[in-house]
Structure formats: structure tokens, C-alpha cells
Amino acid sequence: MEALLRMYREMEPVEDVMAALRTTPEYLSLATQDAFVTEVLRDPLCDLYAPKQVYTLRIVKLYVADAEAAGGDISDELMAELMERIASNKNLNSLDELHHVSYRLRLDGAGRTDAITCRVATAHNEVGMKLWEAGFFLAEYALAHPNVFAHKRVIELGAGAGFTGLVLAANHPAPAHVLVTDYAPEVLQNLRYNVELNAFRNMLRCSVDTAALDWTTWTWTDAAAFDVLIAGDCVYDVASFPDLMRVLAAFLARPNTSAIFASTIRNQTTFQAFLDQLHAHGIVYDEVPCDFPHMFTYGNRASIRLCMLTRAVEPLAS
């Protein structure tokens, strides 16, 4: 049941969860039905921080339908789950439902396992309250290269739900401090919730703070307390590039600083405009090899670029 539990916590597609369940030996037996309920659906972490309710209901309905189609019995525990989920989903607006996802991390090299939990939203317009591919990618890089961030002060732009910054703070060795930032009030409220949730669960090895950061008003004094700036999926709007470049230029003007960006290339013209702006502002772009383990389930991995940004010592050639 361990693989099924991981899939359920991460809210992998229902079809994938059911496909994995159907490969379980005697998956329609009463014993397996009860094990799925007690070890997966009633997982203590998911009891506290539940996945989307309609997601769970779909899984339970499909499992019951499989048993009925095979002419088998349905366990009392599975039927109780079905009734409870149906009752709890009445009058629920599934598009606006806030729910939780939990991602397991393997840390320390000594078998220690933790899970970072984030509250996220489903609605298509809640871009700051979703988890994005480049954020997962950057988190994988951080887990594979902890010494890049160890004992350093890290600031994250456009942190959204905060997953990447929280992974950094849970890693070993950890940064000295992490500041996760965003701008929209509702995103910041959710970001604070996720930081407090994981701090309460003792998942974080360093202090993590949240702050509103408006790129249009950033000044060089704001950057003085940090060594590394990170951002995932912040390169998508050409109109924001002038303000983003001003932030980067101010941050990288200090010695011994660097920025690490992970970007999903959805439009090559937009990404080229980003590269052109970096060059115009004297910022050096070095692509980072993506030879680290793939730990999380997400799409578009081949379209993501990871880069290290530093200030040019000499003016860049035009």
C-alpha cells in the first residue's frame, strides 16, 4: 500500500491510482479493501490535511464499482467511506475547494522520511495557489545539491504555495534562513498557512518567514540580508521583465550573491526575450545540467531549464 499512499497524498490522477490499485494482488478481496481504507484513505496525515474531497470520492466510487461489476462483496469499511464521502461532498463547489497535497522527501541519507504538505487550490485562475512544474524541478535540484544552499540566506520570488522554499528548509544541511515572498493578498495568506503548517509539524530545519514583495518597489537595501535568490516559473510575462530585471540587478550587485531560476519554456520567443534582458542588464546566464534524480510526479520536465545567474565582472559583449 506504500506506493498507493504516496500517489494518494500527491493527488496523482485518479486513473493512475486505480491502475495501480488493480495490480494489487486480490485487490477485490475484503482484506485488501479494508487495507486500502485504513492505510491509504485514513492515513493520519491525510486525515489532518485532506486531499480534494471530490478526488477521494471518485476513487472510492470506482473501487466499489469494480467490486460490484465482479459480483464480489464490498467491505463494511469501504462502504462506510463511500457513504461518508457522498455526504461530505453535498453542496461542495469543487472548483473553489482548497485542499492539501503531501510530498514525501527522503533526507539525511539515513532513511529519514518527511513529507511537505501544502494547501492548494484547483480553480484555473488561482495561479499563485497551485504547484507548478518548475517549482518541483527546482526542489529536486535543491534536494540533490544541498550544499548550494547550506547555511545561506535564501529568498524566493513568486513563491506561490511555498513548496520549493519549504523543501529547502526541510533539507539537510539546511539554509540559515528562507524568506518566501509573493504579492497577491490571498496568495500570501495561503503561503503563511503552509509555512505555519509545516513548522507546526516540525518539518523545517531552519527559520522560514513570509513577506509581500512588489517587484516595482524593490530597492537594493531589501536584498542586503540574502545570499541566494531562487524563482520557479516566474518567466512567462514579458511585461514583468523590466521589474524582474531591476530586482535581479539590485540583488546581484552585492558580492557573493547568485540567483537560480527554473523556467518552463512554454513560448520560445518569451524565453528568448528573458535571455536578451539578462544580457542587456549585464547578468550572466549559465545553464545548470539537469542530471539529478526525478523525485516528484509532474509533466513537462523536458521543457524546463535551470540556470545560475550572476553579475558580469566585465561588460557583456553586444
Side-chain angles (χ1 to χ4, degrees):
M1 291 291 164
E2 183 177 352
L4 286 166
L5 176 58
R6 179 193 61 77
M7 297 175 77
Y8 179 63
R9 284 178 172 179
E10 297 180 11
M11 276 189 61
E12 290 197 19
V14 170
E15 295 76 12
D16 294 347
V17 174
M18 290 306 301
L21 178 58
R22 288 165 182 149
T23 64
T24 304
E26 299 184 351
Y27 90 98
L28 293 178
S29 70
L30 295 179
T32 302
Q33 292 177 42
D34 284 346
F36 183 74
V37 171
T38 57
E39 297 177 32
V40 177
L41 299 181
R42 295 178 185 168
D43 165 53
L45 182 60
C46 291
D47 270 350
L48 290 172
Y49 311 110
K52 190 176 178 183
Q53 294 184 52
V54 293
Y55 171 82
T56 302
L57 178 59
R58 285 188 62 202
I59 292 173
V60 175
K61 279 185 172 181
L62 287 170
Y63 200 179
V64 169
D66 280 5
E68 290 177 336
D73 294 328
I74 301 170
S75 80
D76 291 342
E77 296 294 334
L78 185 59
M79 185 55 70
E81 280 293 315
L82 177 62
M83 295 299 101
E84 180 182 338
R85 302 294 175 176
I86 290 174
S88 65
N89 274 274
K90 288 182 178 178
N91 302 318
L92 181 67
N93 185 340
S94 62
L95 286 179
D96 296 330
E97 180 193 352
L98 288 170
H99 55 279
H100 297 82
V101 288
S102 299
Y103 289 85
R104 184 175 60 182
L105 312 178
R106 294 193 180 277
L107 305 171
D108 287 347
R112 178 169 175 256
T113 300
D114 290 328
I116 291 296
T117 298
C118 288
R119 185 174 67 179
V120 296
T122 303
H124 70 279
N125 59 330
E126 298 288 359
V127 295
M129 296 174 68
K130 296 181 179 181
L131 301 184
W132 294 92
E133 295 96 335
F136 286 119
F137 196 78
L138 185 51
E140 289 174 341
Y141 171 78
L143 289 169
H145 300 88
N147 290 330
V148 172
F149 306 96
H151 315 302
K152 294 182 179 178
R153 299 158 299 176
V154 181
I155 181 171
E156 181 177 10
L157 301 184
F163 177 76
T164 305
L166 290 169
V167 169
L168 260 69
N171 205 6
H172 179 75
H177 177 67
V178 175
L179 177 67
V180 287
T181 72
D182 217 293
Y183 181 63
E186 64 276 11
V187 175
L188 276 169
Q189 182 182 33
N190 191 61
L191 181 58
R192 293 188 190 100
Y193 170 90
N194 286 336
V195 170
E196 291 169 3
L197 183 160
N198 287 279
F200 174 77
R201 295 181 53 240
N202 295 317
M203 293 295 104
L204 309 180
R205 297 172 182 262
C206 71
S207 58
V208 180
D209 288 326
T210 63
L213 195 156
D214 183 351
W215 297 357
T216 65
T217 59
W218 174 284
T219 63
W220 71 269
T221 55
D222 297 326
F226 298 95
D227 309 301
V228 181
L229 182 151
I230 64 170
D233 258 333
C234 285
V235 180
Y236 58 87
D237 181 9
V238 174
S240 71
F241 288 175
D243 292 325
L244 178 58
M245 292 302 138
R246 200 166 55 77
V247 170
L248 283 171
F251 182 83
L252 296 173
R254 294 176 56 248
N256 302 315
T257 55
S258 61
I260 302 174
F261 271 49
S263 306
T264 304
I265 302 179
R266 300 179 178 88
N267 183 305
Q268 186 60 50
T269 301
T270 300
F271 189 68
Q272 185 59 52
F274 172 68
L275 297 181
D276 293 343
Q277 285 282 312
L278 291 175
H279 188 277
H281 285 78
I283 298 172
V284 177
Y285 170 101
D286 289 310
E287 193 156 321
V288 177
C290 302
D291 53 0
F292 41 88
H294 187 178
M295 294 186 59
F296 306 114
T297 302
Y298 58 95
N300 295 324
R301 196 172 196 265
S303 300
I304 301 173
R305 297 292 178 269
L306 186 68
C307 66
M308 183 81 68
L309 305 178
T310 53
R311 193 71 170 175
V313 177
E314 300 292 339
L316 297 176
S318 58

